[in-house]
Amino acid sequence: MGSRVRTLAEATPDTRDRYVDLLRVVSLGTVVLGHWLMAAVTADGVGNLLAVVPELQLLTWALQIMPVFFFVGGFSHALSYRSLRRRHPADDGVSLYAAFLRARLRRLLRPTMVFVLVWGVAALLVQLLGGGGGLTGVSLRLVTQPLWFIGIYLAMVAFTPPLLRLHERYGWGAFGALVAGAVLVDVLRFALGVPFVEFLNFAFVWLAVHQLGFLRADGRLRLPSALAATGLAGAALLVAAGPYPLSMVGMPGEKVSNMAPPTLALLCHGLWLVGAVELLRAPGARLVARPRVWRTVVAANGVAMTAFLWHLTAMLGVYGALLAAGVTLPEPASAAWWAQTPLRIAAAALLTAVLVAVFRGFEQPSPAPVRPGSGPLAALGITLCLFGVLGLSMVGFAGLLDGRTATLVAVPVSAPAAVAMALAGWWLVERSGFAVRRDEG
């Protein structure tokens, strides 16, 4: 592993924007650390530290850093699709679309599907044996929640080709149209009470942040300080005067969440964060130019998705071991709880490292030729994956044998149906390039 990382690090071309890779690692690492810190676990279940200590919700304005990951995704997707177009100038957009999806999704879907299958089998065995109560039942419900991020990222990959064309034609105008869509949705939702319209902001808000990555790829984010100030002022004004909560992450029992579905306040938060990380670009680039730092970033990027998928499993495993050993968990936010926090996080990090060592090979599939293929097949595949993964993030594996469902937009979905859609979609994305490879011999 070490020699491979060193080889990859030394082979990095000078033209690569290493700061983007650093942002990818830092953003996912911050999300993982935030989940470990916010979990307020007791013998009765799992709560949220931000609900126990509401004053800490202000920290989400810095630590809810997922918009940065989606911004980096937009930058990377623009470069990847343009590179594919240059290598296959004679191919039509439909076949290039299939090639782009397969190229971008191989490292994402394979570890995700392994995670889904492992937890699905474990949940089935637990429930067949009559278990599923207490912390085990909570775990079966919670471990899939981070899959919402995978679902949103799938949508971003799927929309990259058409939105990149709009960006290349209209520039900031394409971004402005997405922002206008987010504004209209919130007006219809909060001022006029139009039902279900709020779910459109899963697209408008996150794709607007993603579109900023396109602008960065073209060197058009020239005033990051203005972007950061506008976003921060906008978020503060909306929270102070509107129906938007202070927390930029979801809170249990709240009537309005800035996250699910996303709101205009969260979009402003994303603008603030993108502007902030762009202001740090020069010192960040100098930091990651150091050979040792760059090797660390390369190593982390190689296992980042695996660590993200399994980090809640590790955290819940640590709490489960403590309860099984008869350790009394202190009251969340008490002095004893805070004193124990570094040890719990260290234990969760260690167990995550073990899980990464077991499953990291699935994040590095054998390379396959990226060639144009069946666009409709790829589009159907990614659509099924999107709904399957999002559905599973909502319903979890608890009640797997009882027909438990959760509502995805307006449609009830069960865990078996979600798993079937995700696996079928993955298979279709993989199959989308097969016919072309056979024709080419």
Side-chain angles (χ1 to χ4, degrees):
M1 181 69 175
S3 60
R4 181 177 178 274
V5 168
R6 184 180 295 273
T7 300
L8 288 173
E10 293 175 350
T12 304
D14 293 336
T15 54
R16 186 177 183 90
D17 193 331
R18 301 183 184 198
Y19 182 56
V20 166
D21 295 284
L22 176 63
L23 289 178
R24 184 182 296 111
V25 170
V26 169
S27 57
L28 279 183
T30 301
V31 170
V32 168
L33 185 61
H35 286 168
W36 287 342
L37 183 60
M38 285 192 302
V41 180
T42 66
D44 299 323
V46 181
N48 191 317
L49 179 66
L50 299 179
V52 178
V53 188
E55 295 81 5
L56 293 178
Q57 292 178 22
L58 188 60
L59 293 178
T60 64
W61 288 49
L63 298 180
Q64 167 46 300
I65 202 170
M66 198 57 86
V68 174
F69 189 91
F70 293 147
F71 163 66
V72 167
F75 176 86
S76 301
H77 295 159
L79 297 187
S80 177
Y81 190 70
R82 286 169 171 172
S83 174
L84 191 62
R85 283 192 311 200
R86 288 194 299 270
R87 297 198 305 272
H88 300 277
D91 292 303
D92 61 78
V94 175
S95 58
L96 281 178
Y97 182 76
F100 173 74
L101 290 189
R102 291 189 72 244
R104 299 306 297 178
L105 297 183
R106 285 183 65 83
R107 283 191 59 186
L108 178 66
L109 287 181
R110 190 176 180 187
T112 301
M113 294 304 112
V114 169
F115 172 83
V116 167
L117 287 172
V118 170
W119 262 107
V121 171
L124 184 61
L125 290 174
V126 166
Q127 291 170 61
L128 283 174
L129 294 173
L135 186 59
T136 300
V138 172
S139 299
L140 294 177
R141 178 174 54 84
L142 287 182
V143 290
T144 63
Q145 286 188 0
L147 291 179
W148 75 266
F149 153 78
I150 306 291
I152 298 299
Y153 201 75
L154 288 172
M156 290 177 173
V157 174
F159 281 104
T160 287
L163 286 180
L164 185 59
R165 286 194 293 271
L166 290 175
H167 161 75
E168 290 169 346
R169 182 170 183 178
Y170 298 109
W172 279 96
F175 167 77
L178 291 168
V179 173
V183 172
L184 178 60
V185 164
D186 272 17
V187 170
L188 293 174
R189 175 187 181 184
F190 293 118
L192 301 179
V194 177
F196 299 117
V197 70
E198 63 267 25
F199 294 103
L200 290 174
N201 265 351
F202 276 112
F204 287 130
V205 169
W206 290 127
L207 289 176
V209 175
H210 188 250
Q211 202 82 1
L212 288 173
F214 296 169
L215 291 160
R216 187 189 191 279
D218 287 347
R220 301 181 68 174
L221 287 182
R222 299 189 183 95
L223 296 172
S225 56
L227 188 66
T230 300
L232 188 58
L237 180 62
L238 288 170
V239 169
Y244 305 95
L246 175 64
S247 175
M248 291 299 165
V249 301
M251 297 294 298
E254 62 185 357
K255 293 182 179 179
V256 176
S257 167
N258 281 321
M259 275 288 294
T263 64
L264 183 58
L266 185 66
L267 176 55
C268 289
H269 172 70
L271 301 185
W272 133 249
L273 286 181
V274 168
V277 297
E278 282 296 283
L279 285 171
L280 296 173
R281 184 174 179 177
R286 288 193 297 270
L287 173 66
V288 82
R290 299 175 182 176
R292 183 174 297 179
V293 174
W294 177 237
R295 286 195 297 271
T296 302
V297 170
V298 170
N301 263 310
V303 297
M305 192 52 58
T306 302
F308 176 79
L309 287 166
W310 292 98
H311 77 279
L312 281 187
T313 302
M315 180 199 77
L316 292 166
V318 168
Y319 279 109
L322 290 173
L323 290 172
V327 176
T328 301
L329 298 179
E331 191 68 23
S334 65
W337 187 90
W338 283 112
Q340 195 187 77
T341 294
L343 296 176
R344 291 196 310 269
I345 290 178
L350 180 60
L351 186 50
T352 300
V354 172
L355 291 168
V356 166
V358 173
F359 294 106
R360 70 186 182 192
F362 297 103
E363 193 171 345
Q364 300 163 356
S366 56
V370 179
R371 296 170 181 164
S374 172
L377 202 62
L380 176 60
I382 198 170
T383 301
L384 287 173
C385 275
L386 171 63
F387 283 104
V389 168
L390 285 178
L392 194 56
S393 74
M394 299 184 69
V395 71
F397 284 115
L400 187 65
L401 300 177
D402 302 329
R404 181 177 182 269
T405 63
T407 302
L408 179 60
V409 186
V411 179
V413 60
S414 65
V419 171
M421 283 192 291
L423 291 175
W426 176 42
W427 183 79
L428 287 174
V429 169
E430 289 294 317
R431 291 285 300 177
S432 65
F434 280 16
V436 172
R437 291 202 298 276
R438 286 200 299 268
D439 293 343
E440 293 181 355

